[in-house]
Amino acid sequence: MLKSIAILSGLVFALPAIANTVPDDIRSELSGPEKIGEVKVRFLGIRMYDAALFTKGGDAFRWTRPFALELTYARSFARERLIKASVAELERIEGEQPDHQAVATKLKSCFRTVRASDRFVAIPDGRNLVRFYFNGTPTCALRHPGIRERLLGIWLSDTARDRRLSRLLRGLD
């Protein structure tokens, strides 16, 4: 369980990163995207993934404005582990909800097993739709009530497990 949580939240610490490149999948979805926050996430000194947040024109992050969240993995994780960790974080944030299993089922078509250097990009389109890309290729459009804030809030909300990570991603620190 602890390892699953670390996959998503970067429990130990997140360090600011430097590069400001914009991948093609993000550029195709957002007009004039600019990176506003980036972190390298480690758990017990082991690099797990890098996370970056892009907004249109580098605007301040707001849930209602266009944005893209990118996760680039530094190690391998099975798809089922990513799904389980995501649902565990939803339960931590929201408490047990009757639709968590439905979210998990929908994530099966979106998530893939990852290896070092694989990347996921999540781009919301309104409150109820998040489009996912895996290594630049669209994988799914996840439709579910409030999914933008619920799922992406794992990284981007004030209730994120690692508040510092969230603030760095949102360009607040």
Side-chain angles (χ1 to χ4, degrees):
M1 174 72 168
L2 184 59
K3 196 176 215 181
S4 295
I5 293 168
I7 291 169
L8 293 173
S9 67
L11 277 176
V12 176
F13 61 89
L15 299 173
I18 299 171
N20 194 23
T21 58
V22 179
D24 290 340
D25 49 359
I26 294 172
R27 192 176 304 283
S28 72
E29 291 278 343
L30 292 181
S31 175
E34 290 184 29
K35 190 181 300 180
I36 65 166
E38 182 175 24
V39 294
K40 293 184 181 301
V41 178
R42 298 179 186 274
F43 178 70
L44 299 176
I46 299 169
R47 189 166 159 206
M48 296 288 152
Y49 62 87
D50 298 343
L53 182 65
F54 298 82
T55 61
K56 181 180 174 181
D59 289 342
F61 171 77
R62 300 282 182 272
W63 286 109
T64 56
R65 294 181 184 165
F67 69 89
L69 175 65
E70 175 190 53
L71 300 179
T72 304
Y73 288 85
R75 47 191 318 104
S76 297
F77 295 103
R79 173 177 67 171
E80 288 303 319
R81 187 177 225 26
L82 296 173
I83 293 167
K84 185 176 180 179
S86 297
V87 173
E89 280 301 288
L90 285 175
E91 289 174 354
R92 182 192 65 79
I93 292 168
E94 302 176 339
E96 290 189 31
Q97 298 295 320
D99 69 342
H100 284 167
Q101 186 56 48
V103 171
T105 299
K106 292 175 182 182
L107 287 174
K108 286 181 182 180
S109 68
C110 299
F111 286 4
R112 304 288 184 266
T113 293
V114 297
R115 291 175 177 68
S117 80
D118 281 343
R119 50 187 282 283
F120 271 111
V121 172
I123 302 173
D125 185 1
R127 291 193 73 239
N128 303 322
L129 176 66
V130 177
R131 297 182 198 290
F132 286 91
Y133 288 79
F134 180 67
N135 293 331
T137 302
T139 62
C140 80
L142 192 158
R143 286 188 190 281
H144 197 84
I147 199 65
R148 175 183 63 196
E149 287 91 343
R150 293 177 71 195
L151 184 62
L152 301 182
I154 291 170
W155 296 271
L156 299 172
S157 74
D158 289 332
T159 57
R161 181 173 296 276
D162 187 330
R163 192 158 188 249
R164 180 170 175 252
L165 169 71
S166 177
R167 291 185 59 77
L168 287 168
L169 278 175
R170 291 181 287 160
L172 299 176
D173 284 341

